[in-house]
Every structure is written in C-alpha cells, then in structure tokens.
C-alpha cells in the first residue's frame, strides 16, 4: 500500500497540471487552461531534469499554488499574497535553472548557490518585463505599479537566496566539482587494467 501511495503521489506531482489544463479547456476556460499548461510545463521539466524528489515536489506544488491563487483571485483579495508567491516560485525556478546549467550541461555534482541567486534575480526581472508586456498588449488590468514591481523583484531575490542557502546547508559536505561520465570512468578503468596486463606480459 505504501508503494501504491508513493506512485499516486508521483503521478500527482508530475501530471496534475496537465489534468487541470484539460479540465479547464473542456470547460471553455481557455485563459485559465493556458496558465495550467505553464504549470504542466514546469512539472514535466522538473521531472525530466532529474531534480531531487523534494525539489521536484516543491516546484510542482508551488506552481500549482500560484495558478490556483490566480483562479481564486487571491492576489486581488489579499494584496500581500503576491510577495510570498513570488518568493517561493522564484526560489524553485532558480534551483531548476542552476541545476540545468551546472548539473545537466556542465556535469557538476551539484548546482552552485551563487548561480541560483543570479538566476533568481534575472528571472524576477524577466517576469516583471512579461507583466509589463501583458499590461500593454493582453490585459490593462495587469498590475505594474513601480512599488509592486520593486517588491516583486526583491521578493524573488530573497526567495532565490533562501533556496541557495538551504541547498548549500544540505549539500555542504558533498562534492561540487565536475562529474565524470560513467563511460569515461569505465574507459579509464579499462585502459588502466590493460596497461597493467601489458606491463605484466612484458616482464614475463
């Protein structure tokens, strides 16, 4: 039963956004369905990037909370709710960005915390640019007041910094250098063994 529960939880973490998007599309709520597709994209990316399970779940849940907050108009009801959502969402996305660069591309054992902070800052700026574009092109009701923009960026940087601190705290004892691929390690071991065998034959 415990294994079945874990399997169901993994399915929810990885596919709940797509299921929600399909339901909203069937109901004719196309804008909401598009937002849900962004949630689904984040869930699939976190899964396929092989993030640690805890961070994968955090990314999935945070994206879902951000979308549901929009559907339920929580940003309008609670003016302060925007800041913790920005902080949490930027935190998990900055981890994903740093993981993609360091682990998937540069073959490091773990993403560097400072890269998470920089990623969070850049992502927060990009998000504000998209909000400005949405205000100008999509819907003038999108809020782009200067104080709101500055608060969102600060919240995003604080969230990314908290994620970087937590990651560093949890993995301080682990390796941080480049990771050698298994194939190279296997070739190196094979070459070393061949050299030893060759040396033994030459002695004989």
């Amino acid at each position: 039963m415990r294994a079945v529960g874990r399997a169901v939880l993994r399915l929810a973490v990885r596919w709940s956004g797509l299921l929600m998007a399909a339901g909203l599309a069937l109901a004719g709520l196309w804008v909401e369905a598009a937002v849900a597709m962004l949630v689904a994209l984040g869930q699939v990316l976190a899964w396929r990037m092989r993030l640690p399970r805890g961070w994968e779940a955090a990314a999935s849940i945070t994206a879902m909370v951000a979308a549901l907050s929009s559907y339920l108009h929580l940003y309008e009801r609670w003016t302060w709710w925007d800041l913790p959502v920005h902080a949490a969402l930027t935190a998990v996305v900055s981890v994903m960005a740093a993981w993609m660069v360091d682990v998937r591309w540069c073959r490091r054992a773990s993403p560097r915390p400072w890269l998470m902070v920089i990623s969070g800052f850049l992502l927060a700026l990009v998000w504000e640019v998209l909000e400005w574009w949405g205000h100008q092109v999509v819907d003038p009701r999108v809020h782009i007041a200067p104080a709101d923009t500055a608060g969102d960026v600060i919240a995003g940087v604080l969230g990314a910094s908290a994620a970087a601190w937590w990651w560093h705290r949890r993995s301080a004892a682990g390796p941080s250098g480049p990771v050698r691929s298994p194939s190279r390690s296997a070739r190196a071991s094979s070459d070393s063994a061949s050299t030893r065998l060759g040396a033994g034959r030459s002695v004989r």
Side-chain angles (χ1 to χ4, degrees):
M1 291 296 294
R2 186 174 298 179
V4 173
R6 290 177 179 174
V8 172
L9 182 60
R10 282 197 297 271
L11 287 174
V13 165
R14 294 170 180 174
W15 300 109
S16 55
L18 187 61
L19 182 62
M20 183 170 66
L24 291 169
L26 289 174
L29 302 172
W30 300 109
V31 175
E32 290 81 358
V35 174
M37 284 302 297
L38 292 177
V39 175
L41 176 62
Q43 291 175 337
V44 171
L45 285 176
W47 168 36
R48 299 306 298 170
M49 287 166 57
R50 303 293 191 269
L51 277 179
R53 291 282 174 84
W55 285 99
E56 181 187 349
S60 174
I61 294 170
T62 304
M64 186 67 72
V65 168
L68 291 175
S69 297
S70 177
Y71 301 154
L72 300 175
H73 304 287
L74 297 185
Y75 301 120
E76 290 81 7
R77 295 181 185 178
W78 305 329
T79 56
W80 54 268
W81 182 243
D82 186 47
L83 295 178
V85 172
H86 265 284
L89 195 58
T90 306
V92 294
V93 176
S94 67
V95 169
M96 292 173 62
W99 180 275
M100 175 62 74
V101 172
D102 273 349
V103 178
R104 303 295 292 179
W105 293 347
C106 298
R107 309 297 296 172
R108 299 180 68 89
S110 179
R112 291 162 290 185
W114 64 263
L115 186 58
M116 296 179 190
V117 178
I118 292 177
S119 299
F121 175 68
L122 295 177
L123 289 166
L125 288 181
V126 168
W127 181 259
E128 295 309 312
V129 170
L130 290 175
E131 281 193 348
W132 176 86
W133 179 83
H135 175 82
Q136 298 294 331
V137 178
V138 179
D139 189 347
R141 291 175 297 177
V142 176
H143 195 52
I144 57 169
D148 177 75
T149 298
D152 291 347
V153 172
I154 292 172
V157 173
L158 290 176
S161 300
W165 173 82
W166 180 255
W167 190 285
H168 177 70
R169 182 174 180 271
R170 299 288 293 179
S171 61
S176 59
V179 178
R180 297 177 68 183
S181 65
S183 58
R184 291 181 180 177
S185 299
R187 284 199 299 268
S189 300
S190 176
D191 293 343
S192 177
S194 300
T195 302
R196 287 197 298 271
L197 286 173
R201 289 171 183 165
S202 62
V203 170
R204 292 179 181 176

